[in-house]
Amino acid sequence: MLDIKVIRDDPEAARQGAIKKRFADRAAAVDRLLEADEKLRALIPEIDGMRTAQKAAAKRMGKLSADERQAHLEEQKKAKQELHQLEEREKELRAAVRENQMLVPMIPDPEVPDGDDDTGNVELRTVGEVPTFDFELRPHQDLAEAQGWLDVQRAGHLAGSRNYYLFGDLALLQDAALRFAADRLIAKGYVAVDPPLLVRDIAMRGTAFFPGGEEQTYSCGHDDLYLIGTSEVPVTALHGDSILDEAELPKLYVARSTCFRREAGTYGKDTKGLYRVHQFQKVEQVVVDIADEGRSKEHHQAILQNSEEILQALQIPYRVVNVCSGDLGVGQVQKFDIESWMPSRESYGETHSASRFYDYQARRLALRYRRAEDRKTAFCHTLNNTALASPRVLIPLLEIHQLPDGRVAVPEVLRPYLGGRETIGRPLNG
């Protein structure tokens, strides 16, 4: 969450940050927060004074006569009741401060372009040449179904729409791509993590998915647990409510997990194929480091570069965009998306999101470190980025690398994971 000192010092900046991110309804939380905070700060000295007076009164008890003691006890009983009422009021105000502080979005970086939605994202660069074909292109779902690799009908019957079965070589290709992405990052010093897929409310709130993202999250209400939409949640929350030593930082993690998303609000959108599904696989980069904006920006570029290198190795053309204010999440300072070229869509489709949060998540998680210079504690900075997500990446992999006869060429970097095979599938022509 946003540092309350920042909100106190410049409440208008906090309001405008919410408005710029198109969370206009949350701008009012700034005023509610400041009102509760002002009352709380006025109340605390009063409570402290009453506690001090009670201690002094207790010390006087032994010096009083029997008659005086009885009157004194009555006064103390009344004072204790008054103190209890004030302490209850303090709890209410602290809860109001916390509740409204959780609603105030992070102020976006000045470099973030203004815009309402993803149409306002600004292209920074394109990499790779968009392919052309001298044969009739098979869309990924048609190709996969013809090869016997994909079944959405049976999956829909058993699990509902936007679900799928992958079979044979396509299941193996997916695994190869995910393993390649993880191995690439492990070679760079990232620590592999196999995280829990079910988390408690504290992890969802701590990473700023709640409040606001409940509609997109699968809830296991009987157990008060939630299925993750990204391993960013359990991995970032890993060190919550703890104090790390500066010498331990940065923490570089790469997590592979199954992820789940309800896709609420997308009825009738991207219904065919593997672009928008409820269950998917992701390799995620997570960084935890000291509170230094310069270092956070360096990490942001590094995790972005990691993903670009993976796409380049897979020979997938892509573009990088600076995400506009209206397409940012509550906690993000800045986000860069990578959009991979998908021939059947005749456009780029988002496959990666690299996010910088500064201390927004860490404050919610009580994720701190002890500074080497003065041994004082400070909140960490956090970042994350997709290294690879599937089955969405299978769209460009199948379509860009398909051969005229319906087989698919395997990118060289994936061949070791597929027994050295250069192609998968069987000829479909004739």
Side-chain angles (χ1 to χ4, degrees):
M1 54 194 165
L2 190 58
D3 186 351
I4 196 168
K5 293 179 181 178
V6 172
I7 302 172
R8 288 173 186 157
D9 293 343
D10 195 349
E12 187 57 25
R15 292 188 198 97
Q16 290 304 315
I19 292 169
K20 185 175 181 179
K21 282 189 169 183
R22 304 314 191 256
F23 293 114
D25 56 326
R26 296 196 179 201
V30 174
D31 297 311
R32 295 194 300 269
L33 166 61
L34 291 174
E35 181 182 0
D37 179 56
E38 184 178 357
K39 291 178 179 178
L40 177 61
R41 289 197 288 169
L43 184 63
I44 288 173
E46 186 178 352
I47 291 174
D48 290 342
M50 290 188 70
R51 287 172 178 160
T52 301
Q54 279 195 341
K55 289 178 182 178
K59 291 180 180 179
R60 291 199 306 271
M61 180 69 74
K63 300 177 182 180
L64 300 177
S65 66
D67 292 339
E68 291 173 327
R69 188 175 293 125
Q70 184 60 39
H72 187 72
L73 285 172
E74 289 296 325
E75 290 177 4
Q76 286 304 102
K77 182 179 179 181
K78 182 179 179 181
K80 188 174 182 180
Q81 289 174 342
E82 291 176 356
L83 177 59
H84 176 71
Q85 291 174 351
L86 291 180
E87 287 174 337
E88 289 300 307
R89 178 59 176 157
E90 179 191 9
K91 290 179 183 178
E92 292 173 2
L93 288 171
R94 288 192 183 278
V97 168
R98 175 79 178 181
E99 178 184 352
N100 285 289
Q101 193 176 1
M102 294 276 276
L103 290 173
V104 178
M106 188 64 167
I107 299 171
D109 190 279
E111 294 182 1
V112 171
D114 192 40
D116 291 333
D117 51 37
D118 58 4
T119 60
N121 295 344
V122 176
E123 183 179 291
L124 298 178
R125 58 183 173 274
T126 60
V127 178
E129 189 172 333
V130 171
T132 57
F133 302 89
D134 57 5
F135 57 91
E136 185 176 353
L137 180 79
R138 291 180 172 91
H140 72 280
Q141 68 271 18
D142 294 347
L143 174 62
E145 287 172 351
Q147 289 284 3
W149 293 337
L150 175 67
D151 193 326
V152 294
Q153 277 194 328
R154 294 180 193 178
H157 176 69
L158 293 173
S161 62
R162 300 189 190 278
N163 285 289
Y164 57 93
Y165 281 101
L166 297 185
F167 299 100
D169 285 346
L170 189 56
L172 296 176
L173 181 67
Q174 172 179 255
D175 184 62
L178 293 166
R179 287 168 61 195
F180 165 70
D183 287 350
R184 183 108 182 185
L185 288 165
I186 291 167
K188 289 190 172 190
Y190 286 70
V191 176
V193 183
D194 185 0
L197 306 183
L198 285 163
V199 297
R200 292 177 174 163
D201 180 86
I202 188 173
M204 299 298 288
R205 289 188 177 275
T207 49
F209 282 87
F210 291 174
E214 291 86 349
E215 191 180 12
Q216 297 295 348
T217 305
Y218 285 103
S219 171
C220 302
H222 184 73
D223 300 300
D224 291 327
L225 294 171
Y226 302 91
L227 284 166
I228 63 171
T230 167
S231 54
E232 167 198 342
V233 173
V235 178
T236 306
L238 172 63
H239 299 292
D241 199 24
S242 61
I243 302 175
L244 304 172
D245 194 86
E246 184 173 340
E248 300 178 64
L249 301 173
K251 295 282 190 182
L252 305 175
Y253 294 115
V254 54
R256 176 177 172 179
S257 70
T258 304
C259 304
F260 305 87
R261 186 175 174 87
R262 290 189 62 240
E263 293 293 352
T266 61
Y267 179 79
K269 185 178 181 181
D270 300 313
T271 56
K272 191 174 183 182
L274 297 171
Y275 189 83
R276 197 176 298 277
V277 293
H278 291 307
Q279 176 180 318
F280 50 99
Q281 305 286 323
K282 263 217 298 184
V283 176
E284 186 81 5
Q285 308 169 67
V286 174
V287 178
V288 179
D289 202 1
I290 64 170
D292 183 293
E293 291 189 5
R295 273 178 61 161
S296 282
K297 289 181 178 180
E298 289 174 4
H299 283 307
H300 205 172
Q301 292 302 316
I303 60 178
L304 183 62
Q305 181 179 339
N306 289 341
S307 298
E308 289 192 64
E309 290 174 356
I310 289 168
L311 285 178
Q312 290 168 20
L314 296 175
Q315 299 172 293
I316 296 175
Y318 62 89
R319 70 172 188 163
V320 179
V321 299
N322 188 8
V323 173
C324 74
S325 57
D327 200 27
L328 285 180
V330 171
Q332 293 159 341
V333 177
Q334 189 173 22
K335 180 169 72 169
F336 300 110
D337 277 358
I338 300 177
E339 300 175 350
S340 299
W341 179 255
M342 300 180 181
S344 63
R345 296 171 65 89
E346 298 183 343
S347 66
Y348 293 97
E350 184 239 309
T351 52
H352 301 70
S353 290
S355 301
R356 184 170 86 250
F357 294 88
Y358 290 155
D359 60 359
Y360 193 88
Q361 292 179 319
R363 286 182 179 277
R364 298 164 78 105
L365 290 164
L367 168 50
R368 296 154 291 170
Y369 71 100
R370 197 172 300 281
R371 297 189 304 206
E373 57 182 355
D374 55 14
R375 306 308 295 164
K376 292 183 178 179
T377 60
F379 289 100
C380 295
H381 280 192
T382 63
L383 307 93
N384 61 69
N385 184 25
T386 319
L388 199 75
S390 187
R392 190 171 287 190
V393 74
L394 297 179
I395 299 173
L397 275 176
L398 291 180
E399 293 180 354
I400 290 172
H401 297 302
Q402 67 177 277
L403 301 173
D405 63 1
R407 292 176 301 147
V408 177
V410 178
E412 187 174 353
V413 293
L414 299 186
R415 292 173 188 171
Y417 300 92
L418 292 166
R421 284 194 291 169
E422 297 183 2
T423 61
I424 57 172
R426 55 186 173 78
L428 297 176
N429 297 344

